[in-house]
Every structure is written in structure tokens, then in C-alpha cells.
Amino acid sequence: MKLTILGCYAATPRTITNPTAQVLEIKNQMFLIDCGEGTQVQLRKHKIKFSRINHIFISHLHGDHFYGLVGLISTFMLLNRENDLHVYGPKGIKELILMQLRASGSYTGYQLFFHELEGTESEIIFEDEKVVVKTIPLKHRIYTNGYLFQEKNKQRKLNIEAVEKYKIDTCYYQKIKFGGAITLEDDTIIPNKELTFDPDPEKRYAFCSDTVYNEDILPIINEVDALYHESTFLESEAHLAEKTMHTTAKQAATIAQKARVKTLIMGHYSTRYGNIELFKEEAQTIFNNVILGDDGKEIEL
Amino acid sequence: MKLTILGCYAATPRTITNPTAQVLEIKNQMFLIDCGEGTQVQLRKHKIKFSRINHIFISHLHGDHFYGLVGLISTFMLLNRENDLHVYGPKGIKELILMQLRASGSYTGYQLFFHELEGTESEIIFEDEKVVVKTIPLKHRIYTNGYLFQEKNKQRKLNIEAVEKYKIDTCYYQKIKFGGAITLEDDTIIPNKELTFDPDPEKRYAFCSDTVYNEDILPIINEVDALYHESTFLESEAHLAEKTMHTTAKQAATIAQKARVKTLIMGHYSTRYGNIELFKEEAQTIFNNVILGDDGKEIEL
């Protein structure tokens, strides 16, 4: 699992900072999370192939999280994309995008599917053989969801020494990996646990932006490998965080600590601060394992 | 009059090129012409004060000419703009922008006026004491206007030698500048033409993008000081120009020649060409005074 942060600053794009967008590479899929203005240029800058993006998750309909979406969809058209594209986001997103495409007289050569969300409980919105994606209902000025990305490792790991000891034919390996027991020629049954190890733990990544401090999310993000949690302000501006329904660095760290996550990734910094190191310093008074998100940063999870 | 080209490439923003946007400084006003994705960042890059932009002219509703508008309007809000903002563009633009602002729950602290266009004849859409702006109806795949910006120099230039010769009091200078005659104390009438010179010629700038080759615009742009005319393709791709309703470099030069403009500025290049010098070379086979528009180029007119 690899996260590339294309942009992680709040409010307005500037020459040196970009609004929210991330690419999560998970089990060979590329998921785009949020799509602020300029995201398509950031994708090019980081040499991420447009054709590998088939699923886009939008947290909410503030401009710094989705004004780049219509341009990206248009560019996909111009590049003669053929793959289906799935967009997940708040109810209303479909008409906002389609209205703009209609006005430009544009037609897609690819299928564009919108999965509009309006639920207030965590729900599975995407699932295939390798990945599950669930919503993380957040509390912000408008309807907002974070997203939890979870690997699925169905297969147990073969204990090569054991299967060779019992001289089990390789044609049964797949059955064993899926948890099956084996009956030998002398009718002895070898239980699966003697032939396999537990699968690798299923890695989980939680994206939470934008939100007030909200302990309701703790059960959903419990013990995730990495939590990206917005930290728009420092504690010195806690009154602004409350007023605008954002989080401070200290609050984000408190969520990370209470959810016992492995790593906290910070971002969505207000551009009022000259030095983002201050966010890390403040967070680390509460929770130690902090990565300071920044535009262009690649993080192996 | 000074033109700053923020972006002049067709279709999609890239790391090294920007979609259409220009700022025309005329009589101390800043007019923004088109607003592709990323325009607000280009404005910052060129240190153009957001507060000086009060009028935005959008040619048509293709993404590479207006997907940056909603973000710019949102940023104006975040920066607590107070000045009125006027947006001129095709019918439909108001609802496209307002729908997005409504979805984000945003409210402007400034007045936002939309002037929606649907005429097919050239018309005056803005006029104050110093500037007139007219539409230039263009022919493209969707409804499109170019814009003609014209200085107004109402005042004639005082002939200092003459007014001193007749010992005319300075309190009459303003009257003379506005074309008035003067009656001396001995009842002699001095006609205005003896006291003044003709005003400086009124500079005119015509912006024409996107369009097919269209001689109907010649009377409107006749003898302008500078014509920005799109030249998306070279003649070798004339079939694509025809199909997509764009212009070749040679065709743009032919329009410049037939309209007897002083300077042709080229732009809206297809990103298929590695070297834009080819556009200049092709145009100069027809018309000599060519400026190759490019992102970041500042042109004194």
C-alpha cells in the first residue's frame, strides 16, 4: 500500500501548495481521494498514469476537495479513455458534474458511474476480491465522509515444510490456501492449521478530512495502520477550529491515540502558518508516531 | 494597455502549460479574459492583485476557458473581498457557478453580477468613462464570443503654445479639452481646433478564441492595435481545424492581414506540437508582425 499526497493544504490553491488530493495504491489499484483544483497537473507531475485511476472518492463538496474533478473527467475524455470511471461522493455531485459537461457539449467515450452517498452510518461502498472501502461519517459544515480502505487477504500462507512432509500434491495448494483440510491416502485428515500460517495482516488506511474533533469515528478507524486526519489549525487557533468545524493538531493526535492507530499522517493545514513543523511538534505532545503530510510526499504503508 | 498571458494552450492543463487566461490592464483597470483551471495560481505567480479584478469575460463554456472561474470566485470569498464582481459570459454560466457555490454552502460577502450573453451580433456589454467592451461573435462548436476592448479618449490635447498666446485662464482648460471654443474679452471666438491637437488614437485590443476561420469578424476588428487570434493547429492539420472548429496559424495570419491589424498575437496551441516557433513561421508567410503568445508573456500594446 502506497500513499502519494498530491495536495494537503486547506482552502485555496497557491503557487507552492495544493488543495486536497491523494492517490492510494492498494493491491495494484489506484484510488484517487479528493480532487481539488489542479489535481490533474499534480497527477502528471508525479507521473501517475491517468488510465490506472478507475475509482475517485470525494469527501465533500467544498471547492478545495472537488473543483478539479470536472477538469480531470474532461481530460479523460480528450485522451480517449475507454475504461469505466466510478465516482463516489455526496448526493448532488452527479448533477454538478453532468451540468458542466452538458454546457460544454462534451460526450464521454467511457462510462461514467456516480455513486451518490447520503448515509450517516459507516457503510461499504466498494468491494472486490482484494479491497473493501467503507465510509467514515464525519462532522463538518456540510455533509462529509472520510474513507476507510482495507486490504482483503483471503488466502492463508502455505507452510511449505509441512506440505512437503505430507507429500501433498501441488494441485491441492490452492485449496489449502483457502483454508481447506487435506485427507491423505491412508484417510488421515490433516487440519488446515497444520499446513498454513495466518495470512499477512490486512492493511488499513483511513482518510479523515474535513471534520471537527469527533470520537464517533474511533470504532471505525480502530488500530488502522495509517490515519490521515486533518489538522487545519494549531491549538492557539482552537476557537477557529470550532467555528469552522475543523480540527487542531492536538485534537488529531488525540484521535490517533484513542484509536490506537500505528501512524498518524497530518494535513489540510491552514495556509496562515509559515512552518508546518509546528503541527508535528504539537501533535507529538500527545502521540508520537506522526508523519507530516506534504505535497508530493510518498508514504509506504 | 498591457496584456499578461497567463495561459494560452488548448485543451488540458499540464505541468508546463496552462489553459486560456489573460489579464488586460487598460486605463488602470484589470480585465480578466477567460479563466481555465489553475488561473488563480497563475494570477498569484504573476503577482496580480486579486482585488484589482472586477470584471471577468468568459468566451465560452469549454472547460479550458472557464473551469478555473468557480475556484477564483470561492477564493475571493475566502479572502473577504468586498468589491462587486462582474462576470460576462454565455447564457447558462450563472447557474453553473451558483449551483456549485450552493452545494458548498458558501455565501459571498461581495456582490456577484452575471451578465449573460446570447446575442449573435456584436454589442456593447461594458462601458465606463475610459473603456468600452464589445462582443465579437465567433463560430465554434458551442456559443462563443471574442471581446473587443477599446480605450475612450474623450479629451483633446491642449496646445499649450496657443492657449498661452491668447492668455486663456487655466480654469478654461478643461472646457477646451472637451472640445469647447473660447470667447476672448474682445468677443473674438477662438475655435477649439486652434487650441488643441487630436487626442491620442484610442487603442484597441481584440481577443478571438475559439473559432473557425471567419471573415465575418473583419469589420469589428478592423485595424485594431493587437489581435489575439487562436491558432490551434498548423496547416498540416487543417482537416482537424475544420473538424473541431478551430483555426490554423496561416488562417489566423490571413484574418490579421485582411483586418489590417497592427500586431497579431498567436495562441491556443494544440499540445501536440513540441515547438511553437512553427506557428510563427507559418503565420509570417502571410503577415509579418507576429508575436508568439506564451504563458507568462507580458506585452505592452
Side-chain angles (χ1 to χ4, degrees):
Chain A
M1 227 198 259
K2 181 181 153 192
L3 183 71
T4 304
I5 296 177
L6 303 175
C8 68
Y9 287 79
T12 69
R14 299 185 306 168
T15 50
I16 45 164
T17 64
N18 294 279
T20 304
Q22 312 189 339
V23 174
L24 182 70
E25 188 170 358
I26 174 172
K27 296 275 183 183
N28 280 321
Q29 292 224 49
M30 290 285 210
F31 292 136
L32 178 63
I33 310 166
D34 278 348
C35 190
E37 185 175 348
T39 294
Q40 60 177 309
V41 174
Q42 286 294 94
L43 285 168
R44 286 185 193 268
K45 203 167 165 181
H46 294 286
K47 302 198 190 314
I48 293 166
K49 275 199 176 170
F50 286 7
S51 59
R52 289 192 62 197
I53 296 173
N54 300 317
H55 300 275
I56 302 176
F57 299 85
I58 301 294
S59 61
H60 65 302
L61 298 180
H62 279 155
D64 55 333
H65 295 256
F66 99 106
Y67 281 168
L69 180 60
V70 65
L72 183 61
I73 287 173
S74 299
T75 294
F76 284 164
M77 291 177 195
L78 287 167
L79 299 176
N80 296 318
R81 179 191 175 97
E82 291 181 352
N83 287 0
D84 293 350
L85 182 70
H86 295 266
V87 176
Y88 306 79
K91 190 168 167 61
I93 194 170
K94 180 177 177 177
E95 186 53 21
L96 284 174
I97 297 298
L98 292 188
M99 193 175 171
Q100 293 181 81
L101 299 183
R102 278 196 296 268
S104 68
S106 301
Y107 298 94
T108 65
Y110 61 94
Q111 290 252 48
L112 185 54
F113 296 97
F114 287 90
H115 306 268
E116 295 198 316
L117 307 173
E118 46 186 335
T120 52
E121 302 288 328
S122 179
E123 57 181 324
I124 291 176
I125 54 169
F126 171 84
E127 182 162 17
D128 68 6
E129 289 186 350
K130 296 175 174 174
V131 183
V132 186
V133 185
K134 293 176 189 167
T135 57
I136 307 171
L138 300 177
K139 285 185 186 162
H140 191 42
R141 302 196 301 278
I142 57 173
Y143 178 75
T144 306
N145 283 298
Y147 295 103
L148 178 72
F149 299 85
Q150 185 167 340
E151 286 181 356
K152 283 163 71 176
N153 294 323
K154 280 185 183 162
Q155 299 185 18
R156 299 182 60 76
K157 293 172 84 175
L158 214 56
N159 178 341
I160 293 292
E161 219 169 275
V163 292
E164 284 180 350
K165 186 180 90 180
Y166 291 112
K167 297 189 169 44
I168 295 167
D169 195 285
T170 54
C171 69
Y172 294 111
Y173 284 7
Q174 198 65 11
K175 182 185 173 187
I176 296 168
K177 284 184 192 169
F178 280 102
I182 291 294
T183 307
L184 301 182
E185 285 185 5
D186 65 0
D187 288 341
T188 319
I189 294 174
I190 314 292
N192 182 275
K193 65 177 180 183
E194 269 194 43
L195 302 172
T196 60
F197 302 114
D198 286 344
D200 287 332
E202 294 169 336
K203 290 234 167 100
R204 292 185 305 147
Y205 169 64
F207 169 88
C208 295
S209 183
D210 297 358
T211 185
V212 286
Y213 177 83
N214 175 19
E215 294 191 1
D216 294 348
I217 67 174
L218 294 177
I220 311 169
I221 64 168
N222 188 45
E223 295 185 3
V224 294
D225 296 275
L227 166 67
Y228 174 92
H229 196 290
E230 74 128 293
S231 49
T232 307
F233 296 104
L234 296 173
E235 272 296 302
S236 46
E237 280 69 44
H239 58 292
L240 290 181
E242 198 185 335
K243 186 180 160 197
T244 59
M245 300 190 79
H246 282 298
T247 313
T248 67
K250 191 176 167 190
Q251 289 172 333
T254 305
I255 291 289
Q257 182 206 38
K258 293 199 175 194
R260 291 176 297 176
V261 310
K262 293 203 182 65
T263 305
L264 168 65
I265 303 168
M266 313 191 78
H268 203 265
Y269 316 111
S270 163
T271 51
R272 75 183 53 220
Y273 303 104
N275 176 11
I276 60 170
E277 286 293 332
L278 299 172
F279 287 86
K280 190 172 180 177
E281 285 170 22
E282 183 172 297
Q284 283 184 328
T285 62
I286 303 286
F287 182 85
N288 194 52
N289 199 5
V290 173
I291 293 176
L292 211 47
D294 207 354
D295 297 4
K297 193 170 268 191
E298 296 180 3
I299 302 167
E300 295 283 349
L301 302 176
Chain B
M1 225 197 261
K2 180 179 154 193
L3 183 71
T4 304
I5 296 177
L6 303 175
C8 68
Y9 287 79
T12 70
R14 300 185 305 168
T15 51
I16 44 164
T17 64
N18 294 280
T20 303
Q22 311 187 340
V23 174
L24 182 70
E25 188 171 356
I26 173 172
K27 296 275 183 183
N28 280 322
Q29 294 225 46
M30 291 284 210
F31 292 137
L32 177 63
I33 310 166
D34 278 348
C35 190
E37 185 175 348
T39 295
Q40 60 177 308
V41 174
Q42 286 294 96
L43 286 169
R44 285 185 192 269
K45 204 167 164 180
H46 294 286
K47 303 198 190 314
I48 293 167
K49 274 200 175 169
F50 286 7
S51 60
R52 289 192 63 196
I53 295 173
N54 299 318
H55 300 274
I56 303 177
F57 299 85
I58 301 293
S59 62
H60 66 302
L61 298 179
H62 279 155
D64 55 333
H65 295 256
F66 98 105
Y67 281 168
L69 180 60
V70 67
L72 183 61
I73 287 173
S74 300
T75 293
F76 284 164
M77 290 178 197
L78 287 166
L79 298 178
N80 297 319
R81 179 192 177 97
E82 292 181 354
N83 287 0
D84 294 349
L85 181 70
H86 295 265
V87 176
Y88 307 79
K91 191 170 166 61
I93 193 170
K94 180 178 178 178
E95 186 53 20
L96 285 174
I97 297 298
L98 292 188
M99 194 173 170
Q100 292 180 81
L101 300 183
R102 277 195 296 267
S104 69
S106 303
Y107 298 95
T108 66
Y110 60 94
Q111 289 252 49
L112 184 55
F113 296 97
F114 287 91
H115 306 267
E116 295 198 315
L117 307 173
E118 46 186 335
T120 52
E121 302 288 329
S122 178
E123 58 180 325
I124 291 175
I125 54 168
F126 171 84
E127 183 163 15
D128 67 6
E129 288 187 349
K130 295 175 175 177
V131 183
V132 185
V133 184
K134 294 176 189 167
T135 57
I136 308 171
L138 301 176
K139 285 185 187 163
H140 191 43
R141 303 196 301 277
I142 57 174
Y143 178 75
T144 304
N145 284 298
Y147 295 104
L148 179 72
F149 299 85
Q150 185 167 343
E151 288 181 354
K152 281 163 74 176
N153 294 323
K154 281 185 182 161
Q155 299 186 17
R156 300 182 58 77
K157 292 172 85 174
L158 212 58
N159 179 342
I160 293 291
E161 219 169 277
V163 292
E164 285 180 350
K165 185 181 92 183
Y166 290 113
K167 298 189 169 45
I168 295 169
D169 194 284
T170 54
C171 69
Y172 294 111
Y173 284 7
Q174 198 65 11
K175 181 185 174 190
I176 296 169
K177 284 184 191 170
F178 280 101
I182 291 294
T183 307
L184 300 182
E185 286 184 4
D186 65 359
D187 288 342
T188 319
I189 294 174
I190 314 293
N192 183 274
K193 66 178 180 184
E194 269 194 45
L195 303 172
T196 60
F197 302 113
D198 286 343
D200 287 331
E202 295 169 337
K203 289 234 167 100
R204 293 186 302 146
Y205 169 64
F207 169 88
C208 295
S209 183
D210 299 358
T211 185
V212 286
Y213 177 84
N214 175 19
E215 294 191 0
D216 293 348
I217 68 173
L218 294 177
I220 310 169
I221 63 170
N222 188 45
E223 295 183 5
V224 294
D225 296 275
L227 165 68
Y228 175 90
H229 196 291
E230 74 128 293
S231 49
T232 308
F233 296 103
L234 297 172
E235 271 297 303
S236 46
E237 280 69 44
H239 58 291
L240 290 180
E242 197 186 335
K243 187 180 157 196
T244 60
M245 300 190 76
H246 283 298
T247 313
T248 67
K250 191 176 167 187
Q251 289 171 333
T254 305
I255 290 290
Q257 182 207 38
K258 293 198 175 192
R260 292 177 298 177
V261 309
K262 293 202 181 65
T263 305
L264 169 65
I265 304 167
M266 313 191 77
H268 202 264
Y269 316 111
S270 162
T271 51
R272 76 183 53 220
Y273 303 105
N275 176 11
I276 60 171
E277 286 292 332
L278 299 171
F279 287 85
K280 189 171 181 178
E281 285 170 21
E282 185 173 294
Q284 284 185 327
T285 63
I286 303 286
F287 182 84
N288 195 52
N289 198 6
V290 173
I291 293 177
L292 212 46
D294 207 352
D295 297 4
K297 191 171 269 191
E298 296 180 3
I299 302 166
E300 295 283 350
L301 302 176

